[in-house]
Amino acid sequence: MTKKKLTPKMLAFADCVALEGLSLSESYRRSYDAENMSAAAVHTEASLLASNPAITKRIETQRERKVRSLV
């Protein structure tokens, strides 16, 4: 199985969630062009991104790094 790389927007989304503690929807708005999207559409897309195993792993890794840097 080929491992897909995360795009810069995906990385930005994951980092907003993990490092800035933003909601999934707000992280999506900051990382993607969501100006013309409804709140429901943003929520749906953000949830789909958050369910991506590679993004989930990035969020976990970034949270662990943040905790270690605070200790």
Side-chain angles (χ1 to χ4, degrees):
M1 179 181 235
T2 305
K3 184 177 179 181
K4 281 187 140 182
K5 289 187 176 182
L6 296 178
T7 67
K9 288 181 180 182
M10 290 173 157
L11 292 170
F13 171 80
D15 291 348
C16 283
V17 172
L19 302 177
E20 297 182 38
L22 298 176
S23 69
L24 297 179
S25 293
E26 185 57 30
S27 296
Y28 186 87
R29 285 185 192 95
R30 289 200 184 181
S31 305
Y32 289 85
D33 180 18
E35 186 176 325
N36 295 319
M37 294 174 70
S38 69
V42 169
H43 174 76
T44 299
E45 292 301 316
S47 295
L48 286 172
L49 272 176
S51 68
N52 178 324
I55 291 177
T56 302
K57 181 66 176 167
R58 172 72 179 204
I59 291 170
E60 290 173 5
T61 301
Q62 291 297 74
R63 283 181 176 160
E64 289 171 2
R65 286 182 184 162
K66 184 177 178 181
V67 168
R68 281 196 307 266
S69 72
L70 295 174
V71 174

